[in-house]
């Protein structure tokens, strides 16, 4: 059992299709109206079929007033971390604390290279991501005096000025699957954000164990790391889906569920039929556990 006690959150992944840009924005607004906590979009700068994630997040932020926004996830090889830090912090300020940072080490390397990005092998890409997170955090730490110097293998800061500071403590959520990336999550990240389609039975339990051990070695408390999960398209009946998600929350510590939905009906149905059942089941189980522990 790995219930970290996180407040449950529900998000939606919306395909940032350039051919239907107005619909993407309308669905984002609908997600807020339906009660979702998070709206996310993938980041494929190399795809001419996709809207730019940062531009879309900014436009959606201007059309909404409560829901938080994130890339699912930013491709660091095409997003220089110092520039990304300023862009996300700026959006957080403009949206009054509604920007989050989903980030990954990179994939689709042929396409990244075609866009001018640097091709990295798996080990180097993890090292580059770790450096990138350090750069971002250093620049966000505007309360510290002086400029920032950072000399990494992939990224450097030569006296860069700090800031702007985000409006809230932005979560850095890492898309990770392999042990080295999971250890990085435990050491540095604010959240683990895998996709259910890429997981085999037992992967969540094993991944949590790696993250928790790395967090402990780094002097961090494992519950400080939020566990998010991309669900894909949900087609099972609402009661069955809710029971499954409640088990994932209580046994694998998932605190944020992100459903893929690209039409109004799917967005509304998950919010009204699935999410409330999950919340109720998890709250009841936690209450029973707390009552039992006091006996």
């Amino acid at each position: 059992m790995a219930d970290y006690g996180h407040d449950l959150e529900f998000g939606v992944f919306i395909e940032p299709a350039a051919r239907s840009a107005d619909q993407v924005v309308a669905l984002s607004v609908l997600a807020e109206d339906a009660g979702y906590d998070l709206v996310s979009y993938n980041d494929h700068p190399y795809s001419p079929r996709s809207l730019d994630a940062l531009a879309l997040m900014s436009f959606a932020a201007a059309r909404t007033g409560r829901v938080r926004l994130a890339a699912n996830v930013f491709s660091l090889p095409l997003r220089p971390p110092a520039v990304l830090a300023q862009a996300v912090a700026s959006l957080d300020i403009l949206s009054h604390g509604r920007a989050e940072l989903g980030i990954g080490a990179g994939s689709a390397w042929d396409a990244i290279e075609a866009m001018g990005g640097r091709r990295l092998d798996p080990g180097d890409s993890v090292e580059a991501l770790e450096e990138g997170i350090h750069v971002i955090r250093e620049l966000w730490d505007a309360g510290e005096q002086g400029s920032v110097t950072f000399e990494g293998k992939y990224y450097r800061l030569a006296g860069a000025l700090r800031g702007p500071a985000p409006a809230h403590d932005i979560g850095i959520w890492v898309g990770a699957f392999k042990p080295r990336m999971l250890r990085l999550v435990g050491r540095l990240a604010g959240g683990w954000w895998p996709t259910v389609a890429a997981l085999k039975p037992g992967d969540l339990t094993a991944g949590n164990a790696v993250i928790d051990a790395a967090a402990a070695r780094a002097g961090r408390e494992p519950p400080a790391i939020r566990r998010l999960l991309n669900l894909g398209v949900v087609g099972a009946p609402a009661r069955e889906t809710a029971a499954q998600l409640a088990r994932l929350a209580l046994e694998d510590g998932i605190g944020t569920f992100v459903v893929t939905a690209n039409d109004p009906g799917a967005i509304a149905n998950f919010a009204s039929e699935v999410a409330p059942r999950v919340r109720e089941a998890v709250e009841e189980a936690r209450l029973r556990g707390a009552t039992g522990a006091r006996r």
Side-chain angles (χ1 to χ4, degrees), residues 229-288:
L229 185 63
N230 287 326
L231 301 174
V233 177
V234 173
R239 191 175 299 277
E240 178 184 333
T241 299
Q244 180 186 12
L245 300 190
R247 286 194 299 272
L248 288 169
L250 295 167
E251 297 177 9
D252 291 300
I254 303 301
T256 303
F257 295 98
V258 180
V259 63
T260 296
N262 289 299
D263 67 81
I267 288 176
N269 182 71
F270 187 91
S272 63
E273 300 297 328
V274 177
R277 286 186 166 100
V278 180
R279 291 189 193 277
E280 182 180 2
V282 171
E283 288 172 5
E284 288 180 356
R286 287 174 173 172
L287 182 60
R288 287 196 303 269

Short mmCIF file of all heavy atoms in Angstrom, two decimals, residues 229-288:
data_model
loop_
_atom_site.label_atom_id
_atom_site.label_comp_id
_atom_site.label_asym_id
_atom_site.label_seq_id
_atom_site.Cartn_x
_atom_site.Cartn_y
_atom_site.Cartn_z
N LEU A 229 -0.96 10.45 -13.16
CA LEU A 229 -1.06 9.35 -14.11
C LEU A 229 -1.93 9.75 -15.29
O LEU A 229 -3.09 10.14 -15.12
CB LEU A 229 -1.66 8.11 -13.43
CG LEU A 229 -1.73 6.84 -14.28
CD1 LEU A 229 -0.33 6.35 -14.65
CD2 LEU A 229 -2.49 5.74 -13.55
N ASN A 230 -1.36 9.65 -16.50
CA ASN A 230 -2.13 9.81 -17.73
C ASN A 230 -2.92 8.53 -17.98
O ASN A 230 -2.33 7.45 -18.11
CB ASN A 230 -1.21 10.09 -18.91
CG ASN A 230 -0.62 11.48 -18.89
OD1 ASN A 230 -1.25 12.43 -18.46
ND2 ASN A 230 0.61 11.61 -19.37
N LEU A 231 -4.23 8.64 -18.08
CA LEU A 231 -5.09 7.48 -18.22
C LEU A 231 -5.36 7.09 -19.66
O LEU A 231 -5.79 5.97 -19.93
CB LEU A 231 -6.43 7.73 -17.52
CG LEU A 231 -6.37 8.04 -16.03
CD1 LEU A 231 -7.76 8.40 -15.53
CD2 LEU A 231 -5.82 6.85 -15.25
N GLY A 232 -5.16 7.99 -20.60
CA GLY A 232 -5.61 7.72 -21.95
C GLY A 232 -7.11 7.91 -22.04
O GLY A 232 -7.75 8.53 -21.17
N VAL A 233 -7.71 7.37 -23.08
CA VAL A 233 -9.16 7.45 -23.26
C VAL A 233 -9.82 6.40 -22.38
O VAL A 233 -9.45 5.22 -22.41
CB VAL A 233 -9.55 7.24 -24.73
CG1 VAL A 233 -11.07 7.24 -24.89
CG2 VAL A 233 -8.91 8.31 -25.60
N VAL A 234 -10.78 6.81 -21.58
CA VAL A 234 -11.48 5.89 -20.68
C VAL A 234 -12.79 5.46 -21.33
O VAL A 234 -13.65 6.30 -21.63
CB VAL A 234 -11.76 6.56 -19.32
CG1 VAL A 234 -12.64 5.67 -18.46
CG2 VAL A 234 -10.44 6.85 -18.61
N GLY A 235 -12.93 4.15 -21.56
CA GLY A 235 -14.13 3.65 -22.22
C GLY A 235 -14.98 2.74 -21.37
O GLY A 235 -16.11 2.42 -21.73
N ALA A 236 -14.49 2.33 -20.19
CA ALA A 236 -15.24 1.43 -19.32
C ALA A 236 -16.37 2.17 -18.64
O ALA A 236 -16.36 3.40 -18.55
CB ALA A 236 -14.30 0.81 -18.29
N PRO A 237 -17.37 1.45 -18.13
CA PRO A 237 -18.46 2.10 -17.39
C PRO A 237 -17.93 2.91 -16.22
O PRO A 237 -16.90 2.57 -15.63
CB PRO A 237 -19.33 0.93 -16.92
CG PRO A 237 -19.04 -0.17 -17.90
CD PRO A 237 -17.60 0.00 -18.28
N ALA A 238 -18.66 3.96 -15.84
CA ALA A 238 -18.18 4.89 -14.83
C ALA A 238 -17.91 4.21 -13.50
O ALA A 238 -16.88 4.47 -12.85
CB ALA A 238 -19.20 6.01 -14.64
N ARG A 239 -18.79 3.31 -13.06
CA ARG A 239 -18.61 2.67 -11.76
C ARG A 239 -17.35 1.80 -11.76
O ARG A 239 -16.58 1.80 -10.79
CB ARG A 239 -19.85 1.83 -11.42
CG ARG A 239 -19.87 1.34 -9.97
CD ARG A 239 -21.18 0.63 -9.67
NE ARG A 239 -22.31 1.52 -9.85
CZ ARG A 239 -22.74 2.37 -8.91
NH1 ARG A 239 -22.11 2.44 -7.76
NH2 ARG A 239 -23.79 3.12 -9.13
N GLU A 240 -17.15 1.07 -12.85
CA GLU A 240 -15.96 0.22 -12.95
C GLU A 240 -14.68 1.06 -12.99
O GLU A 240 -13.69 0.74 -12.32
CB GLU A 240 -16.07 -0.64 -14.21
CG GLU A 240 -14.88 -1.54 -14.47
CD GLU A 240 -15.02 -2.29 -15.77
OE1 GLU A 240 -16.17 -2.54 -16.21
OE2 GLU A 240 -13.97 -2.64 -16.36
N THR A 241 -14.71 2.12 -13.77
CA THR A 241 -13.54 3.00 -13.85
C THR A 241 -13.23 3.64 -12.51
O THR A 241 -12.08 3.70 -12.08
CB THR A 241 -13.79 4.12 -14.89
OG1 THR A 241 -14.00 3.53 -16.17
CG2 THR A 241 -12.60 5.07 -14.96
N ALA A 242 -14.26 4.10 -11.81
CA ALA A 242 -14.05 4.75 -10.52
C ALA A 242 -13.44 3.78 -9.51
O ALA A 242 -12.55 4.16 -8.74
CB ALA A 242 -15.37 5.29 -9.99
N ALA A 243 -13.90 2.53 -9.51
CA ALA A 243 -13.34 1.55 -8.59
C ALA A 243 -11.86 1.31 -8.88
O ALA A 243 -11.03 1.20 -7.96
CB ALA A 243 -14.13 0.25 -8.67
N GLN A 244 -11.52 1.24 -10.15
CA GLN A 244 -10.13 1.04 -10.54
C GLN A 244 -9.26 2.22 -10.11
O GLN A 244 -8.16 2.05 -9.58
CB GLN A 244 -10.01 0.83 -12.04
CG GLN A 244 -8.58 0.62 -12.52
CD GLN A 244 -8.48 0.57 -14.03
OE1 GLN A 244 -9.44 0.90 -14.74
NE2 GLN A 244 -7.33 0.15 -14.54
N LEU A 245 -9.74 3.44 -10.34
CA LEU A 245 -8.96 4.61 -9.99
C LEU A 245 -8.82 4.76 -8.47
O LEU A 245 -7.77 5.19 -7.97
CB LEU A 245 -9.58 5.87 -10.58
CG LEU A 245 -9.70 5.92 -12.11
CD1 LEU A 245 -10.11 7.31 -12.57
CD2 LEU A 245 -8.40 5.50 -12.79
N ALA A 246 -9.86 4.42 -7.74
CA ALA A 246 -9.76 4.46 -6.28
C ALA A 246 -8.69 3.51 -5.78
O ALA A 246 -7.92 3.83 -4.86
CB ALA A 246 -11.11 4.13 -5.65
N ARG A 247 -8.60 2.33 -6.39
CA ARG A 247 -7.53 1.38 -6.01
C ARG A 247 -6.16 1.97 -6.32
O ARG A 247 -5.21 1.82 -5.53
CB ARG A 247 -7.72 0.05 -6.75
CG ARG A 247 -8.87 -0.80 -6.22
CD ARG A 247 -8.77 -2.23 -6.75
NE ARG A 247 -8.86 -2.29 -8.20
CZ ARG A 247 -10.01 -2.38 -8.88
NH1 ARG A 247 -11.16 -2.41 -8.22
NH2 ARG A 247 -10.00 -2.44 -10.18
N LEU A 248 -6.03 2.62 -7.47
CA LEU A 248 -4.74 3.24 -7.82
C LEU A 248 -4.36 4.33 -6.82
O LEU A 248 -3.19 4.50 -6.50
CB LEU A 248 -4.81 3.81 -9.23
CG LEU A 248 -4.82 2.79 -10.37
CD1 LEU A 248 -5.16 3.47 -11.70
CD2 LEU A 248 -3.46 2.09 -10.49
N ALA A 249 -5.35 5.07 -6.34
CA ALA A 249 -5.06 6.11 -5.36
C ALA A 249 -4.64 5.51 -4.02
O ALA A 249 -3.68 5.96 -3.39
CB ALA A 249 -6.29 7.00 -5.17
N LEU A 250 -5.33 4.47 -3.59
CA LEU A 250 -5.09 3.91 -2.27
C LEU A 250 -3.92 2.93 -2.23
O LEU A 250 -3.25 2.80 -1.20
CB LEU A 250 -6.36 3.19 -1.79
CG LEU A 250 -7.57 4.11 -1.56
CD1 LEU A 250 -8.83 3.29 -1.41
CD2 LEU A 250 -7.34 4.99 -0.32
N GLU A 251 -3.65 2.25 -3.34
CA GLU A 251 -2.59 1.23 -3.35
C GLU A 251 -1.32 1.70 -4.03
O GLU A 251 -0.23 1.21 -3.71
CB GLU A 251 -3.11 -0.04 -4.05
CG GLU A 251 -4.28 -0.68 -3.32
CD GLU A 251 -4.84 -1.89 -4.06
OE1 GLU A 251 -4.19 -2.34 -5.05
OE2 GLU A 251 -5.91 -2.38 -3.66
N ASP A 252 -1.43 2.64 -4.97
CA ASP A 252 -0.24 3.11 -5.70
C ASP A 252 0.00 4.60 -5.54
O ASP A 252 0.89 5.16 -6.18
CB ASP A 252 -0.37 2.77 -7.18
CG ASP A 252 -0.28 1.26 -7.43
OD1 ASP A 252 0.75 0.67 -7.09
OD2 ASP A 252 -1.25 0.69 -7.94
N GLY A 253 -0.77 5.24 -4.70
CA GLY A 253 -0.50 6.62 -4.33
C GLY A 253 -0.80 7.66 -5.39
O GLY A 253 -0.34 8.80 -5.28
N ILE A 254 -1.55 7.31 -6.43
CA ILE A 254 -1.85 8.29 -7.47
C ILE A 254 -2.72 9.40 -6.88
O ILE A 254 -3.78 9.15 -6.31
CB ILE A 254 -2.54 7.65 -8.68
CG1 ILE A 254 -1.68 6.51 -9.24
CG2 ILE A 254 -2.82 8.70 -9.75
CD1 ILE A 254 -0.30 6.94 -9.69
N GLY A 255 -2.27 10.65 -7.04
CA GLY A 255 -3.02 11.79 -6.52
C GLY A 255 -3.69 12.61 -7.59
O GLY A 255 -4.63 13.35 -7.31
N THR A 256 -3.21 12.48 -8.85
CA THR A 256 -3.79 13.24 -9.96
C THR A 256 -4.02 12.31 -11.13
O THR A 256 -3.09 11.66 -11.61
CB THR A 256 -2.85 14.38 -10.40
OG1 THR A 256 -2.59 15.24 -9.29
CG2 THR A 256 -3.48 15.19 -11.53
N PHE A 257 -5.26 12.22 -11.58
CA PHE A 257 -5.62 11.40 -12.73
C PHE A 257 -5.92 12.31 -13.90
O PHE A 257 -6.73 13.24 -13.79
CB PHE A 257 -6.85 10.55 -12.41
CG PHE A 257 -6.62 9.53 -11.33
CD1 PHE A 257 -7.01 9.78 -10.01
CD2 PHE A 257 -6.01 8.32 -11.62
CE1 PHE A 257 -6.80 8.83 -9.01
CE2 PHE A 257 -5.80 7.37 -10.63
CZ PHE A 257 -6.19 7.63 -9.32
N VAL A 258 -5.28 12.04 -15.04
CA VAL A 258 -5.44 12.88 -16.23
C VAL A 258 -6.04 12.02 -17.34
O VAL A 258 -5.40 11.10 -17.85
CB VAL A 258 -4.10 13.48 -16.68
CG1 VAL A 258 -4.29 14.35 -17.91
CG2 VAL A 258 -3.47 14.29 -15.54
N VAL A 259 -7.26 12.33 -17.72
CA VAL A 259 -7.96 11.57 -18.74
C VAL A 259 -7.80 12.25 -20.09
O VAL A 259 -7.77 13.48 -20.19
CB VAL A 259 -9.46 11.43 -18.37
CG1 VAL A 259 -10.15 12.78 -18.33
CG2 VAL A 259 -10.17 10.47 -19.31
N THR A 260 -7.66 11.46 -21.14
CA THR A 260 -7.63 12.00 -22.50
C THR A 260 -9.07 12.16 -22.99
O THR A 260 -9.84 11.19 -23.01
CB THR A 260 -6.86 11.07 -23.45
OG1 THR A 260 -5.50 11.00 -23.02
CG2 THR A 260 -6.90 11.60 -24.89
N ALA A 261 -9.44 13.37 -23.37
CA ALA A 261 -10.80 13.62 -23.83
C ALA A 261 -10.78 14.76 -24.83
O ALA A 261 -10.30 15.85 -24.51
CB ALA A 261 -11.72 13.96 -22.66
N ASN A 262 -11.27 14.48 -26.01
CA ASN A 262 -11.24 15.48 -27.08
C ASN A 262 -12.63 15.82 -27.61
O ASN A 262 -12.77 16.30 -28.73
CB ASN A 262 -10.33 15.00 -28.21
CG ASN A 262 -8.86 15.02 -27.81
OD1 ASN A 262 -8.31 16.08 -27.49
ND2 ASN A 262 -8.23 13.86 -27.81
N ASP A 263 -13.64 15.55 -26.79
CA ASP A 263 -14.98 15.97 -27.16
C ASP A 263 -15.74 16.36 -25.89
O ASP A 263 -15.41 15.90 -24.79
CB ASP A 263 -15.73 14.88 -27.92
CG ASP A 263 -16.03 13.67 -27.05
OD1 ASP A 263 -17.01 13.71 -26.29
OD2 ASP A 263 -15.26 12.69 -27.12
N PRO A 264 -16.72 17.23 -26.00
CA PRO A 264 -17.41 17.74 -24.80
C PRO A 264 -18.06 16.64 -23.97
O PRO A 264 -18.04 16.71 -22.73
CB PRO A 264 -18.47 18.68 -25.39
CG PRO A 264 -17.91 19.10 -26.72
CD PRO A 264 -17.18 17.90 -27.24
N GLY A 265 -18.64 15.63 -24.63
CA GLY A 265 -19.31 14.58 -23.89
C GLY A 265 -18.37 13.82 -22.98
O GLY A 265 -18.70 13.54 -21.82
N ALA A 266 -17.19 13.47 -23.47
CA ALA A 266 -16.23 12.72 -22.67
C ALA A 266 -15.73 13.54 -21.50
O ALA A 266 -15.56 13.03 -20.38
CB ALA A 266 -15.06 12.28 -23.55
N ILE A 267 -15.48 14.83 -21.73
CA ILE A 267 -15.02 15.70 -20.65
C ILE A 267 -16.09 15.81 -19.57
O ILE A 267 -15.81 15.66 -18.37
CB ILE A 267 -14.66 17.09 -21.21
CG1 ILE A 267 -13.36 17.00 -22.02
CG2 ILE A 267 -14.53 18.12 -20.09
CD1 ILE A 267 -12.96 18.29 -22.71
N ALA A 268 -17.33 16.04 -19.96
CA ALA A 268 -18.41 16.20 -18.99
C ALA A 268 -18.70 14.90 -18.27
O ALA A 268 -18.92 14.89 -17.04
CB ALA A 268 -19.67 16.72 -19.70
N ASN A 269 -18.69 13.78 -18.98
CA ASN A 269 -19.05 12.51 -18.38
C ASN A 269 -18.05 12.09 -17.30
O ASN A 269 -18.43 11.66 -16.21
CB ASN A 269 -19.14 11.42 -19.45
CG ASN A 269 -19.57 10.08 -18.88
OD1 ASN A 269 -20.73 9.91 -18.48
ND2 ASN A 269 -18.65 9.13 -18.81
N PHE A 270 -16.76 12.21 -17.59
CA PHE A 270 -15.75 11.83 -16.60
C PHE A 270 -15.87 12.70 -15.35
O PHE A 270 -15.79 12.22 -14.21
CB PHE A 270 -14.34 11.94 -17.19
CG PHE A 270 -13.27 11.40 -16.30
CD1 PHE A 270 -12.87 10.07 -16.39
CD2 PHE A 270 -12.64 12.21 -15.36
CE1 PHE A 270 -11.88 9.56 -15.56
CE2 PHE A 270 -11.65 11.72 -14.53
CZ PHE A 270 -11.27 10.39 -14.63
N ALA A 271 -16.09 14.00 -15.56
CA ALA A 271 -16.17 14.91 -14.42
C ALA A 271 -17.39 14.66 -13.56
O ALA A 271 -17.33 14.77 -12.32
CB ALA A 271 -16.17 16.35 -14.92
N SER A 272 -18.50 14.30 -14.17
CA SER A 272 -19.75 14.16 -13.41
C SER A 272 -20.00 12.73 -12.92
O SER A 272 -20.64 12.54 -11.88
CB SER A 272 -20.94 14.61 -14.26
OG SER A 272 -21.08 13.78 -15.42
N GLU A 273 -19.49 11.73 -13.64
CA GLU A 273 -19.81 10.34 -13.32
C GLU A 273 -18.66 9.58 -12.66
O GLU A 273 -18.89 8.70 -11.83
CB GLU A 273 -20.24 9.59 -14.59
CG GLU A 273 -21.46 10.17 -15.27
CD GLU A 273 -22.70 10.08 -14.39
OE1 GLU A 273 -22.81 9.11 -13.61
OE2 GLU A 273 -23.55 10.98 -14.47
N VAL A 274 -17.43 9.90 -13.03
CA VAL A 274 -16.28 9.14 -12.52
C VAL A 274 -15.62 9.84 -11.34
O VAL A 274 -15.46 9.25 -10.26
CB VAL A 274 -15.24 8.89 -13.63
CG1 VAL A 274 -14.02 8.14 -13.07
CG2 VAL A 274 -15.87 8.09 -14.77
N ALA A 275 -15.22 11.08 -11.51
CA ALA A 275 -14.45 11.78 -10.47
C ALA A 275 -15.15 11.79 -9.11
O ALA A 275 -14.51 11.50 -8.09
CB ALA A 275 -14.12 13.20 -10.92
N PRO A 276 -16.46 12.10 -9.02
CA PRO A 276 -17.10 12.10 -7.69
C PRO A 276 -17.08 10.73 -7.03
O PRO A 276 -16.92 10.63 -5.80
CB PRO A 276 -18.53 12.55 -8.00
CG PRO A 276 -18.45 13.27 -9.29
CD PRO A 276 -17.39 12.56 -10.08
N ARG A 277 -17.24 9.67 -7.81
CA ARG A 277 -17.20 8.32 -7.24
C ARG A 277 -15.81 7.99 -6.69
O ARG A 277 -15.68 7.35 -5.64
CB ARG A 277 -17.60 7.29 -8.30
CG ARG A 277 -19.08 7.25 -8.65
CD ARG A 277 -19.37 6.09 -9.59
NE ARG A 277 -20.79 5.81 -9.70
CZ ARG A 277 -21.57 6.22 -10.70
NH1 ARG A 277 -21.03 6.95 -11.68
NH2 ARG A 277 -22.85 5.91 -10.73
N VAL A 278 -14.78 8.43 -7.40
CA VAL A 278 -13.42 8.17 -6.93
C VAL A 278 -13.18 8.91 -5.62
O VAL A 278 -12.66 8.34 -4.65
CB VAL A 278 -12.37 8.60 -7.98
CG1 VAL A 278 -10.95 8.33 -7.46
CG2 VAL A 278 -12.59 7.88 -9.30
N ARG A 279 -13.55 10.17 -5.57
CA ARG A 279 -13.36 10.96 -4.35
C ARG A 279 -14.08 10.31 -3.17
O ARG A 279 -13.52 10.18 -2.07
CB ARG A 279 -13.89 12.38 -4.55
CG ARG A 279 -13.10 13.23 -5.52
CD ARG A 279 -13.60 14.68 -5.47
NE ARG A 279 -13.10 15.46 -6.58
CZ ARG A 279 -11.91 16.04 -6.63
NH1 ARG A 279 -11.09 15.88 -5.61
NH2 ARG A 279 -11.53 16.74 -7.68
N GLU A 280 -15.31 9.90 -3.40
CA GLU A 280 -16.11 9.31 -2.32
C GLU A 280 -15.47 8.02 -1.82
O GLU A 280 -15.34 7.80 -0.61
CB GLU A 280 -17.53 9.05 -2.80
CG GLU A 280 -18.44 8.48 -1.73
CD GLU A 280 -19.85 8.23 -2.24
OE1 GLU A 280 -20.11 8.47 -3.44
OE2 GLU A 280 -20.70 7.81 -1.43
N ALA A 281 -15.04 7.15 -2.75
CA ALA A 281 -14.46 5.87 -2.35
C ALA A 281 -13.15 6.06 -1.58
O ALA A 281 -12.89 5.38 -0.58
CB ALA A 281 -14.23 4.99 -3.58
N VAL A 282 -12.33 6.99 -2.04
CA VAL A 282 -11.05 7.22 -1.37
C VAL A 282 -11.26 7.86 0.00
O VAL A 282 -10.61 7.47 0.99
CB VAL A 282 -10.13 8.10 -2.25
CG1 VAL A 282 -8.90 8.55 -1.49
CG2 VAL A 282 -9.73 7.33 -3.51
N GLU A 283 -12.16 8.82 0.09
CA GLU A 283 -12.44 9.45 1.38
C GLU A 283 -12.97 8.43 2.38
O GLU A 283 -12.58 8.42 3.56
CB GLU A 283 -13.44 10.59 1.19
CG GLU A 283 -12.84 11.81 0.50
CD GLU A 283 -13.89 12.85 0.15
OE1 GLU A 283 -15.06 12.65 0.52
OE2 GLU A 283 -13.54 13.85 -0.51
N GLU A 284 -13.86 7.55 1.94
CA GLU A 284 -14.41 6.53 2.84
C GLU A 284 -13.32 5.57 3.31
O GLU A 284 -13.27 5.21 4.49
CB GLU A 284 -15.53 5.76 2.14
CG GLU A 284 -16.81 6.57 1.96
CD GLU A 284 -17.89 5.77 1.26
OE1 GLU A 284 -17.60 4.62 0.84
OE2 GLU A 284 -19.02 6.29 1.13
N ALA A 285 -12.45 5.15 2.39
CA ALA A 285 -11.38 4.22 2.76
C ALA A 285 -10.40 4.87 3.73
O ALA A 285 -9.95 4.24 4.69
CB ALA A 285 -10.64 3.75 1.51
N ARG A 286 -10.08 6.13 3.50
CA ARG A 286 -9.16 6.82 4.41
C ARG A 286 -9.80 7.02 5.78
O ARG A 286 -9.12 6.91 6.81
CB ARG A 286 -8.75 8.16 3.81
CG ARG A 286 -7.78 8.03 2.65
CD ARG A 286 -7.51 9.37 1.98
NE ARG A 286 -6.46 9.25 0.97
CZ ARG A 286 -6.12 10.23 0.13
NH1 ARG A 286 -6.76 11.40 0.17
NH2 ARG A 286 -5.15 10.05 -0.75
N LEU A 287 -11.08 7.32 5.80
CA LEU A 287 -11.77 7.49 7.06
C LEU A 287 -11.80 6.18 7.85
O LEU A 287 -11.56 6.15 9.05
CB LEU A 287 -13.19 8.00 6.83
CG LEU A 287 -14.03 8.26 8.08
CD1 LEU A 287 -13.37 9.31 8.96
CD2 LEU A 287 -15.44 8.72 7.69
N ARG A 288 -12.08 5.06 7.15
CA ARG A 288 -12.06 3.75 7.82
C ARG A 288 -10.68 3.46 8.38
O ARG A 288 -10.53 2.95 9.49
CB ARG A 288 -12.46 2.66 6.83
CG ARG A 288 -13.94 2.64 6.48
CD ARG A 288 -14.33 1.32 5.84
NE ARG A 288 -13.54 1.03 4.66
CZ ARG A 288 -13.87 1.39 3.43
NH1 ARG A 288 -14.98 2.09 3.22
NH2 ARG A 288 -13.10 1.09 2.40
#
